[in-house]
Amino acid sequence: MSEEKSLNFIEEIVENDLNSGKYETLVTRFPPEPNGYLHIGHAKAICLNFGLTQKYGGYTNLRFDDTNPVTEKTEYVNSQQEDIKWLGFNWKNELYASDYFDELYSFAVKLIEKGLAYVDESSADEIAALKGTPTEPGKDSPYRNRSAEENLDIFTRMKNGEFADGAYILRAKIDMASPNMLMRDPIIYRIKHAEHHRTGNKWCIYPMYDFAHGQSDSIENITHSICTLEYVSHRELYDWFIEKLEIFPSKQYEFARLNLTSTVMSKRKLLQLVNENLVSGWDDPRMPTISGLRRRGFTPKSVREFCERIGIAKRENLIELSLLEFCIREDLNKTANRVMAVLDPIKLIITNYDKGTEDLKGENNPEAEDGGGTRVIPFSKELWIEREDFMEVPAKKWFRLAPGAMVRLKFAYIVKCEDFVKDENGNVTEIHCTYIPESKSGNDTSGINVKGTIHWVSVQHAKTAEIRLYDRLFSSETPDAEEGDFKDYLNPDSLTVLPNVYIEPSLADADLQSRYQFIRKGYFCLDKDSTAEKLVFNRTVTLKDTFKKPN
């Protein structure tokens, strides 16, 4: 028997809470802000929140934290929903912080009535000057002791749209000497005359994240509100609001967010890459977004496996991108059909082949659990092979084609190089070979053993495609930590486009859901830019980790 996998610290908390009877039903939520596309870091949080309720029962809500109308779009809502479903998860309730705007407003009124919130008309600079430092207490705002009646009057007029953006804010009245800077009378409402993607122009005041988040959790009876470590200092404020409002006591727990090498995960920086056309869009296959990974050919299973392998911890660490690539290789090795494509072609002519065309049998995937099956591959006198598979003056231990050398053509015959042709610039343009009829794969009676096997595509039957070879988006493993602008470290070789690659004819029927191993070249998938006239394939990952780390 295999050892039972140990629990992570959040699973331990959940088990204790359920076993002790603290909660009858586990309720979690995934609360993205619809201000961009989800990335691989969000995938970790999705797998955690939904995974807990899959394991222990209960349910997970999808709640969009849409409290900033300036940056939020329905496009982002739709993309985030698609990403979660693609990962294999389903939410019980689709909710929005904006669903609670009336209730949140009444919570703010309650704090004012209890003398725990006040309207401030200080400028941002004045507020900052009074805030203090981590080692020095702040100073009270001159407006801190307004009467509840005056605060309610101004706050009502703020809601009614009487004031311009920035004229007033609502602050919680807590402790300007607190060692936690977030407890020094934080802003809980601000004026924003902006159309909201769901509520239109009904509101011109909007709650801050810290005010909306915990109360939304409470309204939904969220038992375990799980977020990343940067919110540790917010927990005290989260608890304070719930205590003072006397509402359901949701509890916040923090885990280490995902930091991945050779990329950035800030939505602000990802948006910058999109807006400055440094990538083709949010779903550019070089982006760490879930939609980018999907377009590149990653599978839901590989992403979930990656999240499982990195685990849930309390300490930040940097995860190698190569681990994510390992997970997709492991998955595709068992599921992707093997096909042949020639990326840098040179013509091979079999001078003694006189059969015209012959249909050969090719294995789809010898690693597949069901055996993989076979397909028909047409073979003829003229073939395309990779230029790198021929060497005019062979190196030591060269097992591919060279003058006088023999090699096996995958699924076909052994051929011997007899001659080659060069153009006026000295480039080899044709290789002339003879084949051994008795050496057919699966029925070889030639008695000849060769060490090299190369792939090929029949010239007569080949289809053409555009191939996009993707590599890491950044040449630095830690672009966020480098001096200067993170964009200075973009990898100039992150995309190589091969416009005319020869592929075997079976790929003419490729679809967007299928994954393929181009034999000896890597794993590929069809791109959405494909048309009936022009197929486009993206390289998901090489067969082996080939990335050269910078010195």
Side-chain angles (χ1 to χ4, degrees):
M1 290 180 62
S2 59
E3 289 186 21
E4 187 174 335
K5 191 173 182 294
S6 60
L7 302 178
N8 63 53
F9 77 96
I10 291 181
E11 289 173 330
E12 290 178 351
I13 292 168
V14 169
E15 285 204 3
N16 288 335
D17 287 347
L18 293 175
N19 291 338
S20 68
K22 184 176 181 180
Y23 304 111
E24 289 186 8
T25 304
L26 173 65
V27 185
T28 67
R29 83 289 171 270
F30 177 63
E33 182 179 359
N35 64 346
Y37 282 57
L38 300 178
H39 55 61
I40 186 68
H42 295 109
K44 179 179 177 181
I46 291 168
C47 290
L48 174 57
N49 279 288
F50 286 90
L52 284 170
T53 49
Q54 281 186 349
K55 182 174 181 177
Y56 296 105
Y59 60 88
T60 300
N61 288 339
L62 171 60
R63 183 179 72 240
F64 293 99
D65 174 32
D66 57 344
T67 59
N68 186 356
V70 176
T71 60
E72 294 157 3
K73 298 179 183 178
T74 302
E75 171 197 348
Y76 298 143
V77 170
N78 295 337
S79 73
Q80 292 176 1
Q81 290 175 325
E82 182 183 0
D83 289 344
I84 297 167
K85 289 177 181 176
W86 178 77
L87 279 171
F89 299 109
N90 292 293
W91 51 92
K92 179 178 181 181
N93 301 301
E94 178 185 325
L95 303 165
Y96 297 79
S98 54
D99 292 338
Y100 311 132
F101 279 172
D102 287 294
E103 202 160 353
L104 292 170
Y105 177 80
S106 69
F107 284 154
V109 168
K110 185 175 181 179
L111 289 178
I112 293 171
E113 290 173 341
K114 295 178 76 170
L116 295 174
Y118 63 96
V119 173
D120 198 331
E121 57 195 271
S122 305
S123 68
D125 288 341
E126 289 169 339
I127 290 172
L130 294 173
K131 194 87 175 196
T133 70
T135 56
E136 295 179 0
K139 297 178 181 177
D140 288 353
S141 163
Y143 306 100
R144 196 172 194 263
N145 294 316
R146 288 186 198 267
S147 67
E149 292 74 21
E150 187 179 1
N151 282 319
L152 283 172
D153 175 63
I154 300 174
F155 190 52
T156 302
R157 293 165 63 195
M158 288 167 61
K159 177 176 75 79
N160 292 340
E162 294 186 25
F163 308 115
D165 290 7
Y168 291 95
I169 54 172
L170 184 69
R171 299 176 70 177
K173 186 190 287 189
I174 306 179
D175 181 5
M176 289 302 292
S178 173
N180 182 348
M181 298 285 285
L182 291 173
M183 299 297 286
R184 296 183 185 180
D185 292 11
I187 300 170
I188 56 178
Y189 262 92
R190 76 283 205 205
I191 301 172
K192 271 186 184 290
H193 290 273
E195 186 169 341
H196 190 277
H197 74 106
R198 292 185 73 244
T199 60
N201 293 304
K202 177 183 176 182
W203 294 88
C204 62
I205 58 170
Y206 293 94
M208 301 295 287
Y209 170 86
D210 276 326
F211 186 65
H213 189 65
Q215 283 70 269
S216 297
D217 284 346
S218 181
I219 292 167
E220 296 172 23
N221 286 357
I222 301 299
T223 58
H224 297 76
S225 176
I226 304 165
C227 56
T228 47
L229 281 177
E230 63 262 40
Y231 292 100
V232 167
S233 57
H234 295 247
R235 192 195 320 144
E236 186 179 1
L237 183 56
Y238 181 102
D239 292 341
W240 186 89
F241 282 130
I242 285 175
E243 178 194 341
K244 300 305 179 186
L245 291 167
E246 303 172 80
I247 53 181
F248 179 83
S250 296
K251 291 295 181 183
Q252 176 179 303
Y253 303 93
E254 307 88 13
F255 69 99
R257 66 180 175 183
L258 172 59
N259 298 303
L260 198 62
T261 59
S262 305
T263 192
V264 295
M265 301 268 240
S266 156
K267 273 197 278 190
R268 177 181 60 81
K269 290 180 178 178
L270 295 176
L271 180 61
Q272 211 173 330
L273 294 174
V274 172
N275 288 343
E276 295 179 23
N277 296 316
L278 297 168
V279 293
S280 63
W282 284 99
D283 68 346
D284 186 301
R286 293 166 292 180
M287 291 278 272
T289 53
I290 296 174
S291 57
L293 293 171
R294 179 166 64 244
R295 185 175 176 187
R296 185 158 170 170
F298 280 77
T299 60
K301 181 179 178 181
S302 67
V303 176
R304 293 194 305 267
E305 173 65 18
F306 171 71
C307 292
E308 178 71 19
R309 282 176 175 268
I310 60 178
I312 303 300
K314 294 183 179 181
R315 181 177 296 176
E316 298 279 3
N317 58 351
L318 187 64
I319 304 298
E320 291 279 348
L321 183 59
S322 56
L323 177 58
L324 178 59
E325 294 172 337
F326 170 83
C327 291
I328 186 62
R329 285 191 193 98
E330 286 283 289
D331 187 15
L332 295 184
N333 182 50
K334 296 182 178 67
T335 58
N337 281 351
R338 276 57 168 162
V339 294
M340 296 193 286
V342 178
L343 278 57
D344 184 14
I346 186 171
K347 187 177 284 187
L348 182 150
I349 300 173
I350 306 173
T351 56
N352 65 332
Y353 187 83
D354 56 8
K355 295 184 180 182
T357 296
E358 182 179 359
D359 285 340
L360 302 179
K361 185 187 293 185
E363 283 184 300
N364 287 332
N365 185 349
E367 300 292 331
E369 292 179 1
D370 61 0
T374 60
R375 70 189 182 287
V376 172
I377 307 171
F379 183 83
S380 62
K381 182 184 184 81
E382 295 189 355
L383 309 173
W384 296 116
I385 67 168
E386 294 287 352
R387 185 172 296 276
E388 67 180 13
D389 284 339
F390 174 79
M391 189 173 284
E392 184 179 347
V393 181
K396 284 186 178 181
K397 296 186 178 180
W398 177 257
F399 300 127
R400 285 172 274 174
L401 276 176
M406 290 193 291
V407 72
R408 176 171 292 282
L409 299 174
K410 185 76 172 175
F411 306 129
Y413 300 94
I414 294 172
V415 294
K416 180 180 179 181
C417 178
E418 305 289 358
D419 195 9
F420 58 91
V421 177
K422 289 184 175 182
D423 63 17
E424 63 275 11
N425 297 318
N427 298 313
V428 176
T429 57
E430 284 183 3
I431 301 165
H432 295 171
C433 293
T434 54
Y435 89 113
I436 299 168
E438 300 79 23
S439 66
K440 186 175 182 180
S441 290
N443 189 30
D444 186 351
T445 60
S446 68
I448 299 172
N449 292 315
V450 293
K451 292 186 176 180
T453 300
I454 64 173
H455 64 281
W456 51 272
V457 175
S458 168
V459 171
Q460 180 183 342
H461 305 92
K463 304 295 182 183
T464 58
E466 177 182 300
I467 302 295
R468 299 172 181 175
L469 304 177
Y470 291 100
D471 208 331
R472 287 154 167 75
L473 185 54
F474 291 91
S475 54
S476 167
E477 286 200 333
T478 53
D480 272 332
E482 301 285 2
E483 292 183 4
D485 193 324
F486 77 101
K487 300 192 299 295
D488 294 341
Y489 300 91
L490 284 166
N491 178 10
D493 301 317
S494 63
L495 171 60
T496 302
V497 177
L498 305 178
N500 291 297
V501 164
Y502 293 114
I503 58 176
E504 67 171 76
S506 68
L507 284 168
D509 298 322
D511 59 63
L512 292 172
Q513 283 69 48
S514 298
R515 305 290 180 263
Y516 305 92
Q517 185 195 101
F518 288 7
I519 292 174
R520 301 168 63 218
K521 292 298 174 183
Y523 292 101
F524 290 78
C525 69
L526 193 69
D527 186 76
K528 68 177 186 179
D529 288 344
S530 293
T531 64
E533 296 74 33
K534 181 183 179 182
L535 297 176
V536 179
F537 287 89
N538 299 327
R539 184 173 68 189
T540 305
V541 68
T542 54
L543 293 177
K544 295 181 180 179
D545 187 356
T546 59
F547 181 67
K548 295 179 180 178
K549 293 184 179 181
N551 294 327

